[in-house]
Amino acid sequence: MKKQASTSIWILGDQLLETHPALTYSHALAAPDATCVVLIESDSRFARHPYHKKKVVLLKSAMQHYAERLRQQGYSVDYRRAPNMAAGLRGHVSDYQPDRIVAMEASEYAGRKWQRERMKALLGVSVEIIPNTQFLVGTFDPYPQSQPDRHYLMEHFYRKMRRHFDVLMDGEQPVGGVWNYDKQNRRPYPRNAVAPARARFTPDTRTTNIIEAVKTSDAFGQIEEFALAVTHEQAAAALQDFIAQRLARFGDYEDAMAARDGQLYHSFLSPYLNIGLLEPMQVIRAAEAAYAAGVAPINAVEGLIRQVLGWREFIYWQYWRQMPGILNANAWNASQALPEFFWTGESAMNCMRHILRRVRQDGYVHHIERLMVLANFSTLAGLHPISVNNWFLSTFVDAYEWVMIPNVLGMGLNADGGKIATKPYIASAHYIKRMSDYCANCPFDYAKRTGNDACPFNFLYWNFLIEHEERLRANPRFGPAVLGLRNIDPDERKRIKQQALDFLHQLGMDSKNEQ
Ligand code: SF4
């Protein structure tokens, strides 16, 4: 059956905005009942990486609920499954014969390039690509004249964003007189603390059907206990639940890790922010209101706002600044293949085992476990940056290229030569011991540098320092750490290097890379 629709709006699966700019734009062209919205479940997109089952269900269910919402608003919706996006759009054009297609810019480089350079010729209709509004830097660029090789500090970027969007500001000054409360936000998790669990949402029939289909697939991870938000209303409820239950303590324990609890006081809102079920300013204003109402202290509210208005926007800005060159970044010449236990979670290291099993179960661990355990291990073990990036992209429910490339290659692995982070985020077991309870029940000894039960984070850390001593010494932010090498005599250096080599060999790691 052929319908006539002069304008079609193509909405991507990670652009499920409540007020989508392409729909607003189309209102000037035609009434909703003369506008067709097309959403495409692309098989090749879902097959690009071995995605976590919960991520597949989240995306498909959120897309299908979004389509239903638009139908209820009076739109004609063409929801189709296709081998790839191009085939889906061609099928849509053939069936609906629109005069033009309007779409919002993809947040990922290859998708946007395809929209701009190939879509019109492929489809043979007029194509209009409008600016992406999912990120605040889409409307305000703090550094419009940015230099390719200059280093930009997130802290300066963040202050410009605070000023421009008037967030936590008292005139020209930050509310409370201080821009950054990081120093207050590094407390270990108390032994008997119990953080309130996050909001859980019972799957409806539509979601249950998708779960059943995904259950039998060979995708990564566990699908049991799927309880993610899949609509705007549920995502808004998750936000309110976080504000009411956990925001007040979020700052204090932002960097803490605990074997018994992966969530702690974290928000778990990134899966929803990254597909448009929540918008950044919605989260920021809700946190500001909580501060104004006395629900949460300034260190917690500023800490959260730093994550959303600071890091998230900075990362997206860096992605567009560094693409596509960053894809080949490998400043530390890392070449090891990803070890199998990243997928299975089977490791004698207590911290890695807990965290990797949580990744299998939930497709999520919080940012310190990502940065200071998973990425730290990857840097110290010399894992190839793209293989680490692809693993994160596959296994995390909130992972998309724009967030993972700069976070993993730049922040986590320092593979971009320091354009995002001024130093490699590496640490020995002492950091993990201080910020978690993992070491207490581990067969390895966090205090030993070498020996049968020495913690791998220790000999890998010192081996990394030995291998890169000269270069690290020249880094003003890392130089002092290298001074510790003066206390290690040549024999111990040899033992450290040999133990690191044996450990990597036992893991079955060789020099193949997985580009
Ligand atoms: Fe992790 Fe080492 Fe601590 Fe074990 S001793 S939990 S491997 S940091």
Side-chain angles (χ1 to χ4, degrees):
M1 185 179 70
K2 289 191 175 180
K3 289 184 189 173
Q4 293 299 316
S6 60
T7 298
S8 286
I9 307 294
W10 175 34
I11 296 181
L12 278 77
D14 61 353
Q15 297 183 344
L16 309 179
L17 295 165
E18 194 162 10
T19 307
H20 196 287
L23 292 174
T24 310
Y25 177 78
S26 75
H27 293 163
L29 306 172
D33 61 3
T35 303
C36 183
V37 178
V38 56
L39 287 124
I40 299 166
E41 265 186 33
S42 157
D43 291 344
S44 69
R45 185 68 187 82
F46 279 102
R48 192 179 293 171
H49 295 284
Y51 293 115
H52 197 292
K53 287 176 179 152
K54 283 182 175 146
K55 182 176 185 179
V56 174
V57 174
L58 169 67
L59 270 167
K60 291 190 176 183
S61 178
M63 284 175 72
Q64 291 182 20
H65 280 91
Y66 190 74
E68 186 53 34
R69 178 191 189 91
L70 292 177
R71 285 189 192 102
Q72 286 172 7
Q73 290 173 357
Y75 291 99
S76 158
V77 177
D78 177 22
Y79 190 98
R80 56 176 63 214
R81 184 174 168 185
N84 53 54
M85 289 296 182
L89 284 171
R90 267 200 303 257
H92 172 78
V93 169
S94 167
D95 290 350
Y96 287 74
Q97 298 173 10
D99 296 323
R100 71 175 79 79
I101 293 187
V102 179
M104 185 169 83
E105 287 171 329
S107 54
E108 297 182 357
Y109 183 85
R112 191 177 295 185
K113 195 169 158 57
W114 186 83
Q115 284 176 324
R116 294 211 174 279
E117 295 175 9
R118 302 203 43 212
M119 197 170 145
K120 186 171 179 218
L122 184 90
L123 300 179
V125 295
S126 166
V127 170
E128 290 178 56
I129 306 298
I130 63 173
N132 187 306
T133 62
Q134 278 178 287
F135 300 87
L136 296 165
V137 281
T139 58
F140 167 67
D141 186 344
Y143 299 102
Q145 311 291 330
S146 72
Q147 307 295 314
D149 293 326
R150 199 185 130 190
H151 178 79
Y152 292 86
L153 280 176
M154 195 290 283
E155 184 64 32
H156 295 165
F157 175 99
Y158 168 61
R159 291 180 190 185
K160 281 174 178 272
M161 295 290 277
R162 288 259 302 264
R163 283 198 178 98
H164 179 81
F165 290 101
D166 195 18
V167 172
L168 281 186
M169 295 300 295
D170 185 1
E172 279 301 300
Q173 296 306 313
V175 166
V178 179
W179 289 98
N180 181 329
Y181 292 82
D182 267 1
K183 283 197 181 125
Q184 292 180 32
N185 291 356
R186 291 177 187 146
R187 293 192 196 173
Y189 196 47
R191 193 175 296 235
N192 298 321
V194 181
R198 68 172 178 260
R200 303 178 70 79
F201 302 93
T202 306
D204 62 6
T205 308
R206 182 173 279 124
T207 305
T208 304
N209 289 340
I210 302 168
I211 289 172
E212 289 306 316
V214 167
K215 229 179 218 172
T216 52
S217 75
D218 55 5
F220 172 79
Q222 295 169 13
I223 189 58
E224 290 73 21
E225 300 180 34
F226 180 94
L228 297 174
V230 293
T231 65
H232 295 99
E233 291 74 16
Q234 290 178 341
L239 169 61
Q240 286 315 315
D241 172 75
F242 165 66
I243 299 277
Q245 303 283 338
R246 298 189 305 283
L247 173 62
R249 316 297 294 277
F250 166 75
D252 292 351
Y253 305 118
E254 191 179 352
D255 287 5
M257 301 178 275
R260 68 185 187 281
D261 183 359
Q263 165 95 31
L264 305 180
Y265 290 91
H266 286 267
S267 68
F268 198 86
L269 297 175
S270 51
Y272 314 136
L273 274 167
N274 292 354
I275 60 173
L277 292 185
L278 288 176
E279 297 202 45
M281 200 45 89
Q282 181 184 3
V283 175
I284 290 164
R285 294 300 181 210
E288 269 193 317
Y291 175 66
V295 171
I298 187 69
N299 71 306
V301 171
E302 191 281 319
L304 180 80
I305 287 174
R306 171 179 297 270
Q307 293 288 326
V308 180
L309 184 65
W311 279 113
R312 184 173 186 273
E313 296 289 333
F314 183 65
I315 284 296
Y316 182 74
W317 182 80
Q318 285 281 5
Y319 172 77
W320 283 98
R321 193 167 86 90
Q322 294 199 49
M323 279 295 283
I326 191 173
L327 292 173
N328 298 317
N330 190 0
W332 298 92
N333 298 319
S335 60
Q336 301 280 0
L338 198 80
E340 184 63 18
F341 78 88
F342 266 58
W343 297 104
T344 64
E346 298 307 322
S347 169
M349 290 181 280
N350 201 37
C351 53
M352 291 295 272
R353 189 174 68 253
H354 271 282
I355 290 169
L356 290 168
R357 287 184 176 177
R358 227 173 258 145
V359 172
R360 274 190 76 78
Q361 186 181 310
D362 294 331
Y364 181 90
V365 296
H366 69 70
H367 68 272
I368 289 299
E369 294 184 321
R370 297 185 200 202
L371 181 67
M372 297 310 297
V373 181
L374 296 173
N376 182 20
F377 180 88
S378 302
T379 307
L380 298 179
L383 306 190
H384 193 280
I386 283 295
S387 65
V388 180
N389 178 71
N390 289 347
W391 178 81
F392 271 100
L393 260 180
S394 302
T395 56
F396 280 77
V397 292
D398 56 0
Y400 298 88
E401 189 182 276
W402 65 265
V403 61
M404 281 306 156
I405 293 274
N407 256 317
V408 176
L409 272 66
M411 183 81 187
L413 306 183
N414 201 245
D416 67 343
K419 285 192 182 140
I420 292 174
T422 45
K423 62 169 186 150
Y425 276 83
I426 53 173
S428 68
H430 288 270
Y431 175 88
I432 298 171
K433 162 77 172 61
R434 192 170 74 244
M435 297 310 301
S436 80
D437 57 0
Y438 288 129
C439 301
N441 293 307
C442 183
F444 297 107
D445 187 336
Y446 77 92
K448 286 192 183 162
R449 201 148 50 193
T450 54
N452 285 345
D453 60 347
C455 170
F457 276 92
N458 288 343
F459 53 76
L460 290 175
Y461 173 81
W462 288 102
N463 181 56
F464 189 89
L465 261 51
I466 291 167
E467 275 192 9
H468 303 288
E469 182 172 357
E470 203 176 319
R471 186 166 160 199
L472 290 168
R473 201 184 288 280
N475 183 321
R477 289 200 65 203
F478 209 91
V482 189
L483 294 180
L485 280 175
R486 287 188 308 206
N487 303 323
I488 301 181
D489 63 34
D491 282 349
E492 190 175 3
R493 283 185 179 228
K494 264 191 212 157
R495 285 199 299 278
I496 289 169
K497 283 176 84 73
Q498 191 58 49
Q499 190 153 1
L501 212 63
D502 292 346
F503 174 80
L504 296 179
H505 184 68
Q506 275 168 20
L507 286 178
M509 292 161 64
D510 54 32
S511 297
K512 280 182 296 173
N513 72 49
E514 295 184 350
Q515 275 191 86

